[in-house]
Amino acid sequence: MRAIVFDFDGTITYENKNVWKWLWQKAGYDLGEGSIFQNLYSKYMNKEFSYKKWCDITCNYFKQKGINKKDLLEYISKTKILPGFVETVKLLRASGIKLFILSGNILECIKTVLGENVKYFDDIMANGFIFDKNENLDKIVATDYEHEGKAKYVNKVIKNLGISPEELTFIGNSKNDEWVYLTGCNTLCINPDETEYKNKLKWNYCIEKANDFREVLPYLAKLSKNSDKEVSA
């Protein structure tokens, strides 16, 4: 195994809502059936507009309700890293494996939550929030690599590293991660949420309930047994 790409929300983290759902609720919007949130999400999933457009529309709704940097910091303060994740990352890095994070979360959130552990990652790809001088949300910079785009990013990593798809493993947990299987890389689902985790086409392996991230190591060892970069469980 030469590289691992991690999702963030619900994969690395636990006991916290998806950042978007959390912010929509923080802004005072309902998430239920027929809500603005659900209608916009359905239109996006039905390809009525792009992910960038979804972010632009979302930004306007957030600005109407005064979402600011303080709100983002509150979300960050509630975000917890799954036990054993840092130890796992250190082991993988020591094995010479390239590490990446690919997320629909917010870059500032990810970097702040990881703290000094950011140094173990070769790249972190996510959305960006831009605030004005009063720390109110001004703009959302949409990632090019969400949903279908996740497969594009993984293909980019494979190409840039000059490796085969089989030498890369993607670890995720949700519906927006399912597209990655199209790259031909290995896929591992952890703590699944709204995904077809029993679908072997989309997920090679699944850990239905992991309380410690180190539980992925035996699966990674299986996937890397024929690689020069083996992972010890």
Side-chain angles (χ1 to χ4, degrees), residues 102-130:
L102 172 61
S103 175
N105 202 296
I106 313 304
L107 187 59
E108 182 176 354
C109 290
I110 297 171
K111 288 186 173 182
T112 304
V113 170
L114 289 177
E116 65 177 11
N117 299 305
V118 166
K119 65 187 178 184
Y120 296 113
F121 295 91
D122 294 271
D123 185 40
I124 299 175
M125 181 59 64
N127 299 290
F129 271 24
I130 296 177

Side-chain angles (χ1 to χ4, degrees), residues 217-229:
L217 290 174
Y219 295 89
L220 295 179
K222 290 179 185 178
L223 293 169
S224 65
K225 64 182 179 180
N226 296 321
S227 170
D228 292 332
K229 299 295 184 183

